[in-house]
Amino acid sequence: MEHDTATLTGANLIAGGESRRRDETFAAVDPRTGQEGSVRFHDATSAEVERAAAAAAEAAGVLADLEPATIAAFLRAAADELEALGDTLIAQADFETALGETRLAGERARTCGQLRAFAELVEGGRHFEAIIDTADPSATPPQPDLRRMLIPVGPVAVFGASNFPLAFSVPGGDTASALAAGCPVIAKAHPSHPGTSELSARAIIAAAGRSGLPDGTFSMVQGRQPEVGRALVLAEKVKAVGFTGSSKVGRALFDLGTGRDEPIPVYAEMGSLNPVFVSPGAAAARAEEIAAGYAGSMTLGAGQFCTKPGLIFVPADEHGDHLVEEISERLRDHEASPLLNAGIRQALLDQLGRTKQLEGVETVVEGPTPGDAGWSLAPTLLQVQLDTLLATPELLEEHFGPASIVVRTASERMLEAADALEGSLTATVHGVEAEFDELDELTTRLREKAGRLIWNGFPTGVAVAAAQHHGGPYPATTAAQHTSVGITAIRRFQRPVAYQNAPNELLPPVLRDANPLGVPRLVNGEVTTDPVTR
Amino acid sequence: MEHDTATLTGANLIAGGESRRRDETFAAVDPRTGQEGSVRFHDATSAEVERAAAAAAEAAGVLADLEPATIAAFLRAAADELEALGDTLIAQADFETALGETRLAGERARTCGQLRAFAELVEGGRHFEAIIDTADPSATPPQPDLRRMLIPVGPVAVFGASNFPLAFSVPGGDTASALAAGCPVIAKAHPSHPGTSELSARAIIAAAGRSGLPDGTFSMVQGRQPEVGRALVLAEKVKAVGFTGSSKVGRALFDLGTGRDEPIPVYAEMGSLNPVFVSPGAAAARAEEIAAGYAGSMTLGAGQFCTKPGLIFVPADEHGDHLVEEISERLRDHEASPLLNAGIRQALLDQLGRTKQLEGVETVVEGPTPGDAGWSLAPTLLQVQLDTLLATPELLEEHFGPASIVVRTASERMLEAADALEGSLTATVHGVEAEFDELDELTTRLREKAGRLIWNGFPTGVAVAAAQHHGGPYPATTAAQHTSVGITAIRRFQRPVAYQNAPNELLPPVLRDANPLGVPRLVNGEVTTDPVTR
């Protein structure tokens, strides 16, 4: 398929216009070959970032007072526009990420599904979390009429992730949830897929235009230099940040945002180890099934998922030996896959080089060979004993890419292993019914360490659902209280406001007596969509 | 009434025991006379803080799995124990704060009401925010069974405020909401009321004992030295902080908490200017009523409320002149009231001295006179024109205590005035029906600046209600998305966890098929208390 088409201009898309203030440019690179594309992309200047933020601040007032139906129509229009890009979008994304057309088509479906799920949420109005307590003059002290709802926080900066060029990037969950909340968005494109980002941004901008929204509703800046991201987080008008990416960058942005004169929340989702625990019963009963699932999960998208399982605790018995052998066989047969960019590839090679040298680390599947083409790497499997893991902090660092560590442990030490872990997005337990008593305690301990607990499954594949939680204790994220997937992700970009004794005419529609929007409200302790009488 | 009774020991109360490791001690001081009480209080050492945190971490696991009914019974027992202290508590608080027995009895009622309101919330189970999406194997990709709920974040440090020795101190809203969430609490007593804190802490500890909760559920440390608070925020086991107090200390603790290796949320409520806008119509129609309300609100508790109105925008016309004269008369008649401690008094005197010297500042009511007894100060009223306010950043700083600034402005410049303000806990509008069109825009702008909007009333007196929001944009708080009053305050101390395809036996009761606790759950998009079938 074609890529780098004439529709790409390489410009920053700011408040409805194109802008190219900086002379230095960069190009997308094909991970399969290391060759550059033909379009030159312009990093944004600080002045361009400021302009996007100012336009967003102006748009914020308009968006905050829109009818939910208008926001919903805009989100659906954005999904429609993304789909209307057809093969152009998939070809560009595949050229820039080498993730493959099947995966990318699935990711587009997920991305559009997310936008439409937020449209539905917004129409329902539950996200306003409206609460009304009517006046009680007989109380001591007398209670005023109080009405509370959530309103948008204002302009949001969204940092696209390299590993999901759609679902966690410019048109992804952070953007969808911020727009759904009524917040203007300034998206920073990831330099590994600048063209995909430009196409996606144009789709959202077209949708905003069709919906009659102000120009500042959505802007996109390119940023290969870290200074672009810094300028965005420091822009005074920006009120919250959504980020998916590495611990190093996530923490740096968090520190910048919380260190501002006016601190702002930085919701950084930074990936994690996603430990998998295999019980003796499960290893004995289902070694092949677990091995197939594990090998598939750790190599999905070349191991570049935030939820890639990086550690697997396997019983130190013969069933465990068999399980490790089964995983190894599958990994040895697995072909090398291209990583997203040269930096990720080199970082993994360097880290693996160091890890393999550590005392007590056995290399089970060797991984990269000198002959790999482009940025491709074959999967690596290392093995240690639990005591080595407990004594070696480097083994508790994420190896981003197709690499994983087997930890052999006596089953009675699984709890000790769980307690030694840091925060993760997920934790997985494979077990059988006869072991529920022991596994109950393990599950409880793992709850302290992870945002999502998976039973007899694998952590990759994060369903977009109301009950989803994609988050977890630090260092998995900088805000364990929030999710970046699922409809509750909207809560990151809202804040409450309460009205006391306000006349009906001065209340927002959500809180008016008649409930003209028909939203569910907690009125004097009961959830209802009925009107309120004073 | 008696105070500093034999029931006080001056010890830190850590995990069920008394501890006095530090030799230096301090005493409570009577604000009416400046005289010290007889009991010596011991600041906690870092080791004592660590011990409290370790015990809290141990208790956390137990609390997280308690039945809601047990937590509710504990909260009610705490309210009962506080009430059982009777006059002893009121006398001690009055001795230490000089806030008066009537006010303090009211504050105790509010404090106990808060604890009981959280008990009711916990029993209802809405705070778990349970969401269940049952499996859908026919979806693309197939959707797993996902069940999400909020769980406690772990040990919480609570910093008591000086100005509400009960409702925002050791047994106050932060403690009540954290315990309701199932988080152990380590309260840092405010050195302005150490004895009140010790009595309150003993009441909560007795309630925990009666409810069979572990010793680490509640500890209290004394801390006149800043290092005690620092040690508490830096304690590794502490997972969140609630604070009410000054901007300077709040921001310092926020920076400490967010700067940790593992950052933690610091919910600091730091007070604010609480601007009041009086429309021309309101000034013409109700000058006496507004003057009486304003003078009362700004001198309540010697002007030491977080919600004290610090700025009043008054029309630059003759009705405005009349309103200012009416306020002034009432303030001149107001007797000097003792401030909470020598530091607050001196800080206000110093700040007023500087403010009165600023160009364009007119002193309308002089305030402090040399003859005031103890730490008493008479109220001060200053006046400026809007242009002076806009040009003088010092005038946008809170004067904590009985002092306020009148800003005279043409009514058409009220919007400009609103835009110039920083974040506040509240904003108030006095108007009449004929002005709704103009006031609609003012209300909308003020929503960007405040957490609570009050119509024809005054900001002091924060009702404890489900719809309450006591928060606001920085610098009013460090977390505009949260409240420290009202049942939604519990959300600060919870985080979500999702279970994927977990067997019923390994799920927490809240998420089990049968819904044994009968909590409301969002099941496949519908709120219900019904059981779930797989």
Side-chain angles (χ1 to χ4, degrees), chain A residues 267 447 452 481 495 500, chain B residues 267 452 481 495 500:
Chain A
Y267 303 106
R447 188 179 64 179
R452 178 165 54 109
Q481 299 180 275
R495 70 173 175 88
Q500 179 172 325
Chain B
Y267 303 106
R452 178 165 55 108
Q481 299 181 274
R495 70 175 176 86
Q500 179 171 326

Side-chain angles (χ1 to χ4, degrees), chain A residues 507-532:
Chain A
L507 284 170
V510 171
L511 298 178
R512 282 186 198 151
D513 291 346
N515 194 12
L517 301 176
V519 303
R521 313 190 290 192
L522 183 71
V523 180
N524 298 326
E526 298 292 333
V527 178
T528 175
T529 56
D530 290 347
V532 166

Side-chain angles (χ1 to χ4, degrees), chain A residues 96-119:
Chain A
E96 293 180 334
T97 66
L99 287 169
E101 291 171 15
T102 310
R103 142 78 195 264
L104 289 165
E107 193 180 325
R108 178 179 55 192
R110 176 195 178 89
T111 305
C112 294
Q114 250 169 195
L115 286 160
R116 292 180 178 122
F118 279 111

Side-chain angles (χ1 to χ4, degrees), chain B residues 10-31:
Chain B
N12 298 286
L13 304 177
I14 297 178
E18 300 194 351
S19 187
R20 296 180 202 77
R21 290 288 173 84
R22 207 190 277 268
D23 290 336
E24 315 93 276
T25 59
F26 69 101
V29 182
D30 180 348

Side-chain angles (χ1 to χ4, degrees), chain B residues 72-374:
Chain B
F74 165 44
L75 294 170
R76 291 200 178 97
D80 294 345
E81 293 283 348
L82 281 170
E83 286 172 346
L85 287 168
D87 288 345
T88 306
L89 182 64
I90 301 299
Q92 186 68 31
D94 189 45
F95 164 64
E96 292 180 334
T97 66
L99 288 169
E101 291 172 14
T102 310
R103 141 80 194 263
L104 289 165
E107 193 181 324
R108 178 179 55 193
R110 175 195 180 89
T111 306
C112 294
Q114 251 169 197
L115 286 160
R116 291 181 179 122
F118 279 111
E120 200 179 324
L121 172 72
V122 165
E123 280 172 338
R126 204 172 52 235
H127 69 297
F128 291 121
E129 291 185 13
I131 307 181
I132 296 177
D133 292 312
T134 55
D136 181 2
S138 69
T140 311
Q143 182 172 292
D145 182 281
L146 276 172
R147 303 179 185 218
R148 172 246 198 212
M149 66 178 286
L150 301 184
I151 63 172
V153 292
V156 172
V158 169
F159 285 72
S162 63
N163 57 348
F164 280 83
L166 301 170
F168 288 84
S169 189
V170 169
D174 286 349
T175 294
S177 53
L179 292 174
C183 299
V185 167
I186 308 158
K188 187 194 153 293
H190 195 285
S192 283
H193 52 266
T196 309
S197 298
E198 183 181 330
L199 289 171
S200 308
R202 288 184 184 279
I204 298 170
I205 291 165
R210 274 171 54 189
S211 308
L213 304 191
D215 285 342
T217 300
F218 186 85
S219 293
M220 182 217 62
V221 294
Q222 298 285 357
R224 196 177 48 162
Q225 307 297 329
E227 65 193 78
V228 180
R230 278 201 294 267
L232 197 47
V233 174
L234 294 176
E236 198 188 327
K237 306 285 191 190
V238 168
K239 298 302 179 192
V241 176
F243 169 88
T244 305
S246 72
S247 301
K248 196 178 141 195
V249 177
R251 179 67 196 245
L253 295 180
F254 174 82
D255 289 343
L256 264 190
T258 53
R260 290 172 27 144
D261 284 349
E262 178 194 343
I264 56 171
V266 175
Y267 303 106
E269 190 266 87
M270 303 179 291
S272 63
L273 284 178
N274 303 298
V276 174
F277 289 78
V278 181
S279 75
R286 300 193 309 264
E288 289 78 7
E289 184 192 329
I290 295 171
Y294 192 84
S297 187
M298 71 162 271
T299 54
L300 203 63
Q304 299 163 113
F305 277 41
C306 306
T307 50
K308 179 207 75 177
L311 277 185
I312 180 166
F313 294 88
V314 172
D317 61 16
E318 58 183 4
H319 297 301
D321 293 345
H322 178 55
L323 172 58
V324 176
E325 191 39 51
E326 289 285 331
I327 297 174
S328 308
E329 258 179 47
R330 283 165 177 83
L331 293 180
R332 281 189 205 103
D333 291 347
H334 199 281
E335 61 187 11
S337 335
L339 275 77
L340 290 159
N341 61 50
I344 289 175
R345 180 178 187 273
Q346 196 56 51
L348 180 60
L349 282 175
D350 292 350
Q351 191 183 4
L352 280 175
R354 291 192 302 272
T355 305
K356 286 178 177 177
Q357 301 300 317
L358 294 170
E359 197 173 320
V361 174
E362 174 196 352
T363 300
V364 182
V365 178
E366 181 66 42
T369 49
D372 292 339

Side-chain angles (χ1 to χ4, degrees), chain A residues 202-269:
Chain A
R202 288 184 185 279
I204 298 171
I205 291 165
R210 273 170 57 188
S211 308
L213 304 191
D215 285 342
T217 301
F218 187 84
S219 294
M220 183 218 61
V221 294
Q222 298 284 356
R224 196 177 49 161
Q225 306 299 329
E227 65 194 77
V228 180
R230 278 200 292 266
L232 199 46
V233 175
L234 293 177
E236 198 189 328
K237 306 283 191 192
V238 167
K239 298 301 181 193
V241 176
F243 168 89
T244 306
S246 72
S247 301
K248 197 179 142 192
V249 177
R251 180 65 197 246
L253 295 180
F254 174 81
D255 289 343
L256 265 188
T258 52
R260 289 170 33 142
D261 283 350
E262 178 193 343
I264 56 172
V266 176
Y267 303 106
E269 190 267 86

